[in-house]
Amino acid sequence: MAYIEALLPLHIPGTYTYRVPEGLSPQVGSRVLVPFGRKKIYTAIVVMLHDRAPQGYEVKEVLSVLDERPILRHPQLRFWEWLADYYLCSMGEVYKAAVPSGLKVESETYISVNPDYEEETPGSLSDREKVVLDFTAQRGRVQITELASATGFKNVEHTVSHLIEREALHVSERVVDNYRPKTETCVRLTCHHGDEESLHAFFDQVHRAPKQEKLLMAYLDLSHWMGSEEPREVSKEALLKRAYVSQAVLSATVQRGILETYKKAINRFATLGNKLIDPPALTTEQRRAYNEVHASFREKAITLLHGVTSSGKTSIYMHLIKDALAQGKQVLYLVPEIALTTQLTRRLKAVFGDQLLIYHSKFSDNERVDIWKRLLDSSDPCVVIGVRSSVFLPYSQLGLVIVDEEHDTSYKQSDPAPRYNGRNAAIMLAQMHGAKTLLGSATPDIGVYYRAMNGHYGLVQLLTRYEGIEMPRVKVIDTKQARRKREMHGLFSEELISDCRQALQAGEQVILFQNRRGYAPMVRCKECGWVPKCENCDVSLTYHKHTRSLTCHYCGYTLSLPTICPACQMPGIEIVGYGTERIEDDVDQAFPGEKISRMDLDTTRSKSSYDRIIDEFSSHKTNILVGTQMVTKGLDFDQVSQVGVLNADTMISFPDYRSHERAFDMLEQVAGRAGRAHKQGQVILQTSDPSHPVIGYVERHDYEGFYRHELADRERFHYPPFVRLINIYLKHRDDALLGEVAVRYAALLRQTFGSRVLGPERPLVGRIQNLYIRQVVMKIEQQASMIKVKAILRQLYEQMLEQDGRMKSVRLYYDVDPV
């Protein structure tokens, strides 16, 4: 008897054993449908085949095998295992994140009325239960989400559960395959190729219908039907266009039995017919850096390219990609934000054409499945450009991994698990494939630069801008002094307004940076000080003027903006602070007549929104771009001469050991958007503390000085790169219970890890989605084995469960290398 070890896309440790019935032949890496629990059906991945029958329990059978061949390639399972071990999560969570939903066939839960149910006694059902039963009886079978929406009941699940216990409702599962291939309607003759007699009969039928005759002639022409070889496939769209007739003419011809239509699966990604161009010629400095990268790759698997903004790192990447493709290898090009793929895609498409694949979360699930299948079906050389999730694709000949803007915190997944860093995962993936990794940045991560300086990574530097353009001037404006002189208008100083106006009058463009979306971070009553708070989280609500609503950016809770204070009943509601939406309004007043665009999470929710905003700014349809950190990340606009940082203080003053590094990176990166193509640009940096060391390093563009200053502080206080941080989060709805359990758990950790354990503490936001939070921090030596750390933490968690039963109701998870 054959058995498999199956990996389920669930937050459960290990694998589950299933018996393979006769007639089924699963392979390692293939998908199988398996039952789990009483009713559920999941798509599992086969991780092992064996013939050892488990003892002590009944083994369930595999329901079906979904693949004739595996959907995973070597070494994907090993890569998943490393992610689970290093980031302290289950392999099931990695599987759930790695594979597109369209490849995970799952069951949907439906409820229906039990036809044999009779009410025990009149009035034994509540009004809610009667409504649920009546609605379900009318529909025959419904999902719980549909029931909740139709009835408007809160906690409808509780009512359904009660009715199921009384056997008034049945639960059933329907297996759903979410993947739908893209299809195209094609047309063909109803007779066989070479059947001249039928063809003459068709022409006899349409000789009085000139448009149908024209359509038939067009088909023969497009399909090459009269030739000796098999006719070509003809799409309906191409046929109607060639014949220049309507759909009604085609329908009439089909009704005569002359033509027939059929569906054909096609590639979602249109091929390019354009002639490809060579990568841009390298300058002397770029050529030197390119040669040094190749030399470094001969000695080191990982190399850091430290190149200042606008030094031409992308041109070097293109030449390295061309080299890898010429060797028959595949290339992974990681970028931190989807916005970056928009500009890069055009440049790379022009050079690499159909060898370029794009992969990110704004694609539909069907599009992601198609890319997965294309890489699975072919080992041809190609370059994949995408965000962090691209590391999960099934590469076969990976030869080069490029991580652009490697310092960026967007590479870190925050929720849900696995809470991995895309940069570090890409480095490990490359090592498993025997590929080389190039990390690129103008402001390298402190830990990465530390490894490069110590010889663990290769280091290549490119410290001059393209064609010798000077680094932008940084003008620091003291907002405290400007306010005393009454030179501030809202968040804009008079100097900033004057310099931006001169640039706009000269036909140049302006970028204004404010790292907060929405209209304003809060509203309050000026009479009594009342501030609207989220009812689910410990945060104030952000005001969005466009919808006139107050919204929580953690859970989505929304209120309408009140006109009367609910606390004191006075009309004293005022808007406090500035988000990008409010700045957009203020800019419109400060620069009347200028076209303005805004780039933040609220304006970039669709796949095409990035393209539209970037296209409009690149083509001068807009001249002022207001944005959050999205505008800091590698975007290239030739005509930008002025960049304004409206408030640098919020980044520098954040209570986190990495706040200075994040502030320096963001300020230096946004400064790099100025003066890229033709002349030196200017950055106007507004701050209330111009003497702060970070401001000085940005003013001088002094990364080396900042690195030495920051490294000394981290060594003194034992922070990365000298130790590895693990944040342990505990969450529960009862704050008092959580506090007691967290203290006991931290004490148990200290018995093993000693002074490496700090906390528990309440984090900055102590409640999210009605769950209170406690945070325990562990500082682990860099050389410590994460597999052993994971085993010890698992053992201590189980010990805590035995000692305190309340731990079962506490949600606990780990965040390794938090950013």
Side-chain angles (χ1 to χ4, degrees):
M1 185 66 72
Y3 296 89
I4 64 165
E5 293 301 317
L7 179 65
L8 295 164
L10 300 171
H11 173 43
I12 49 175
T15 57
Y16 282 74
T17 306
Y18 288 88
R19 184 171 60 251
V20 181
E22 289 194 21
L24 297 184
S25 303
Q27 304 172 60
V28 172
S30 64
R31 298 174 301 156
V32 290
L33 273 184
V34 296
F36 186 76
R38 294 179 60 189
K39 296 282 185 180
K40 283 285 186 180
I41 297 168
Y42 285 102
T43 302
I45 298 285
V46 179
V47 298
M48 185 190 297
L49 300 168
H50 62 86
D51 56 5
R52 300 184 302 277
Q55 302 298 317
Y57 61 92
E58 183 183 352
V59 181
K60 295 181 180 180
E61 278 194 348
V62 172
L63 299 178
S64 67
V65 177
L66 298 176
D67 305 301
E68 294 179 1
R69 57 185 184 132
I71 65 154
L72 302 182
R73 288 184 181 273
H74 175 80
Q76 279 179 283
L77 279 173
R78 190 156 62 93
F79 179 56
W80 291 5
E81 188 175 5
W82 176 83
L83 281 169
D85 285 339
Y86 186 84
Y87 290 104
L88 306 178
C89 62
S90 69
M91 270 188 75
E93 290 171 303
V94 179
Y95 162 34
K96 187 172 183 178
V99 177
S101 297
L103 292 174
K104 295 193 288 282
V105 181
E106 295 186 3
S107 59
E108 291 182 350
T109 302
Y110 284 81
I111 58 170
S112 56
V113 173
N114 178 3
D116 298 327
Y117 173 73
E118 292 182 4
E119 193 172 354
E120 297 163 4
T121 56
S124 62
L125 292 178
S126 68
D127 290 341
R128 282 171 62 103
E129 289 170 340
K130 287 177 182 176
V131 170
V132 168
L133 272 179
D134 289 345
F135 181 80
T136 307
Q138 289 172 11
R139 301 297 295 269
R141 192 176 69 163
V142 296
Q143 287 182 276
I144 293 176
T145 51
E146 183 185 356
L147 190 60
S149 175
T151 62
F153 292 158
K154 290 186 177 180
N155 300 322
V156 74
E157 295 86 353
H158 179 73
T159 305
V160 169
S161 176
H162 191 235
L163 289 169
I164 291 170
E165 287 174 9
R166 300 175 69 161
E167 298 185 349
L169 293 177
H170 281 322
V171 176
S172 62
E173 294 288 324
R174 182 168 71 91
V175 175
V176 179
D177 185 353
N178 294 313
Y179 174 64
R180 296 288 181 274
K182 185 175 183 180
T183 58
E184 180 180 56
T185 301
C186 293
V187 181
R188 62 190 170 204
L189 281 174
T190 54
C191 65
H192 295 295
H193 180 231
D195 187 351
E196 301 286 340
E197 187 177 334
S198 295
L199 185 61
H200 284 298
F202 291 159
F203 273 107
D204 288 341
Q205 288 185 58
V206 299
H207 80 281
R208 291 183 181 277
K211 289 186 178 180
Q212 293 179 38
E213 187 178 43
K214 186 179 178 183
L215 185 74
L216 183 55
M217 291 292 293
Y219 172 78
L220 295 177
D221 184 30
L222 286 172
S223 65
H224 294 198
W225 200 87
M226 305 301 291
S228 57
E229 297 181 358
E230 279 294 311
R232 297 177 182 175
E233 289 188 299
V234 177
S235 72
K236 183 180 81 171
E237 183 183 3
L239 179 61
L240 294 177
K241 189 174 181 181
R242 171 65 69 90
Y244 204 67
V245 297
S246 67
Q247 170 67 43
V249 176
L250 174 60
S251 298
T253 314
V254 170
Q255 284 177 358
R256 287 179 184 268
I258 298 172
L259 294 173
E260 63 182 6
T261 60
Y262 63 97
K263 297 284 187 181
K264 172 193 170 188
I266 60 169
N267 184 359
R268 290 177 197 278
F269 308 101
T271 56
L272 290 175
N274 299 340
K275 186 178 178 182
L276 302 182
I277 63 173
D278 290 327
L282 298 179
T283 65
T284 304
E285 271 295 286
Q286 289 170 346
R287 175 65 60 180
R288 174 195 59 76
Y290 164 79
N291 292 332
E292 287 184 14
V293 169
H294 269 301
S296 177
F297 278 161
R298 287 193 285 272
E299 298 180 7
K300 309 277 187 184
I302 306 164
T303 295
L304 169 64
L305 175 59
H306 177 205
V308 297
T309 54
S310 194
S311 58
K313 296 187 289 295
T314 306
S315 298
I316 296 172
Y317 298 158
M318 286 188 189
H319 282 267
L320 293 169
I321 291 168
K322 187 177 181 181
D323 295 343
L325 296 178
Q327 296 169 13
K329 297 293 186 181
Q330 296 171 331
V331 180
L332 170 58
Y333 188 153
L334 278 185
V335 293
E337 290 272 7
I338 296 167
L340 270 182
T341 64
T342 300
Q343 279 197 328
L344 278 173
T345 296
R346 293 171 193 157
R347 297 178 66 182
L348 295 174
K349 276 268 189 197
V351 176
F352 303 111
D354 298 329
Q355 288 182 300
L356 180 70
L357 299 176
I358 307 144
Y359 192 81
H360 57 63
S361 60
K362 293 291 182 187
F363 274 5
S364 72
D365 202 62
N366 287 331
E367 288 171 318
R368 284 180 291 195
V369 171
D370 280 351
I371 293 173
W372 186 287
K373 289 188 171 184
R374 176 168 168 179
L375 286 169
L376 204 58
D377 292 339
S378 171
S379 298
D380 293 344
C382 64
V383 52
V384 175
I385 180 170
V387 292
R388 59 176 181 256
S389 56
S390 305
V391 299
F392 293 120
L393 288 168
Y395 303 99
S396 56
Q397 297 289 332
L398 193 61
L400 175 65
V401 173
I402 296 170
V403 186
D404 196 17
E405 310 293 350
E406 61 79 22
H407 66 277
D408 201 289
T409 56
S410 297
Y411 281 122
K412 185 71 161 74
Q413 164 88 356
S414 55
D415 269 317
R419 295 170 180 85
Y420 67 101
N421 188 305
R423 177 197 63 218
N424 298 344
I427 289 171
M428 180 55 63
L429 179 71
Q431 287 180 5
M432 290 182 177
H433 279 273
K436 303 296 184 184
T437 304
L438 181 66
L439 309 175
S441 177
T443 54
D445 176 85
I446 295 290
V448 167
Y449 200 71
Y450 176 75
R451 292 181 190 93
M453 296 298 285
N454 286 347
H456 294 111
Y457 298 168
L459 176 61
V460 176
Q461 295 189 308
L462 186 61
L463 302 180
T464 57
R465 281 187 145 190
Y466 179 68
E467 292 187 343
I469 300 293
E470 290 184 69
M471 294 295 288
R473 295 182 302 275
V474 178
K475 180 190 285 188
V476 178
I477 294 175
D478 186 342
T479 53
K480 280 198 299 189
Q481 190 174 354
R483 280 196 174 87
R484 279 199 299 269
K485 295 179 179 179
R486 299 190 177 182
E487 294 175 352
M488 293 293 291
H489 304 280
L491 210 57
F492 301 91
S493 63
E494 289 183 355
E495 278 189 81
L496 184 144
I497 292 172
S498 172
D499 289 354
C500 290
R501 185 171 287 126
Q502 287 179 26
L504 293 168
Q505 288 170 353
E508 296 164 348
Q509 292 176 298
V510 173
I511 292 178
L512 297 175
F513 170 66
Q514 171 76 344
N515 202 26
R516 186 185 288 276
R517 67 185 174 101
Y519 191 83
M522 61 182 280
V523 299
R524 73 181 173 207
C525 175
K526 57 188 175 186
E527 302 295 336
C528 70
W530 172 81
V531 175
K533 299 280 185 71
C534 175
E535 68 174 22
N536 306 314
C537 312
D538 285 346
V539 291
S540 58
L541 298 175
T542 301
Y543 175 53
H544 290 259
K545 185 181 179 183
H546 177 67
T547 56
R548 282 194 61 81
S549 63
L550 299 165
T551 302
C552 173
H553 288 171
Y554 285 88
C555 72
Y557 173 76
T558 301
L559 282 177
S560 297
L561 180 69
T563 53
I564 303 294
C565 173
C568 68
Q569 306 302 314
M570 296 290 288
I573 300 295
E574 64 175 351
I575 294 164
V576 181
Y578 288 83
T580 48
E581 195 180 347
R582 185 175 186 180
I583 288 166
E584 185 181 21
D585 278 2
D586 289 3
V587 168
D588 193 33
Q589 294 176 14
F591 305 101
E594 292 291 347
K595 300 290 186 181
I596 305 159
S597 57
R598 173 164 58 95
M599 182 184 280
D600 57 27
L601 186 62
D602 297 319
T603 61
T604 55
R605 294 189 184 276
S606 70
K607 183 168 69 174
S608 61
S609 52
Y610 292 97
D611 293 8
R612 178 182 54 78
I613 293 168
I614 289 169
D615 282 346
E616 288 176 354
F617 196 63
S618 297
S619 60
H620 275 263
K621 290 179 182 176
T622 57
N623 289 321
I624 302 174
L625 177 61
V626 176
T628 58
Q629 60 179 345
M630 289 182 182
V631 303
T632 71
K633 299 178 181 182
L635 296 173
D636 190 358
F637 302 112
D638 289 350
Q639 298 299 316
V640 174
S641 64
Q642 299 287 334
V643 170
V645 179
L646 301 179
N647 186 0
D649 301 333
T650 53
M651 293 176 282
I652 296 172
S653 305
F654 198 77
D656 184 278
Y657 83 96
R658 287 198 61 185
S659 62
H660 288 179
E661 181 182 3
R662 278 199 295 264
F664 178 85
D665 291 349
M666 212 169 286
L667 294 172
E668 187 65 19
Q669 289 288 339
V670 76
R673 302 314 108 209
R676 296 178 67 88
H678 306 295
K679 70 170 191 177
Q680 184 183 26
Q682 177 173 271
V683 182
I684 303 164
L685 201 159
Q686 298 187 157
T687 174
S688 62
D689 186 9
S691 62
H692 195 286
V694 170
I695 301 297
Y697 291 125
V698 172
E699 200 173 359
R700 299 188 297 274
H701 303 290
D702 182 10
Y703 174 80
E704 292 281 348
F706 171 76
Y707 165 76
R708 290 191 296 270
H709 176 270
E710 187 70 9
L711 196 68
D713 280 350
R714 294 195 186 181
E715 187 172 21
R716 187 180 310 125
F717 297 109
H718 302 289
Y719 279 107
F722 301 100
V723 296
R724 177 178 288 121
L725 284 189
I726 302 174
N727 283 347
I728 305 175
Y729 292 97
L730 299 95
K731 295 185 176 182
H732 197 276
R733 292 185 181 277
D734 186 329
D735 190 33
L737 180 149
L738 178 65
E740 293 174 15
V741 171
V743 168
R744 292 194 65 181
Y745 179 65
L748 187 62
L749 289 175
R750 284 192 186 89
Q751 291 176 17
T752 301
F753 293 103
S755 60
R756 299 178 184 88
V757 179
L758 304 174
E761 295 291 338
R762 192 189 298 268
L764 195 63
V765 179
R767 182 175 61 109
I768 296 176
Q769 295 181 355
N770 278 326
L771 291 174
Y772 292 94
I773 308 169
R774 295 293 186 277
Q775 177 183 352
V776 177
V777 178
M778 292 178 60
K779 293 183 176 181
I780 304 294
E781 292 82 354
Q782 285 285 0
Q783 60 272 23
S785 165
M786 288 303 289
I787 296 175
K788 290 182 179 178
V789 170
K790 183 179 182 180
I792 294 169
L793 287 173
R794 181 71 196 174
Q795 181 184 345
L796 292 174
Y797 175 70
E798 291 172 356
Q799 187 178 335
M800 182 68 185
L801 287 174
E802 292 176 6
Q803 293 180 6
D804 192 334
R806 296 175 299 175
M807 189 69 175
K808 291 179 183 177
S809 62
V810 174
R811 183 187 169 201
L812 181 144
Y813 64 87
Y814 309 96
D815 187 5
V816 180
D817 300 335
V819 294

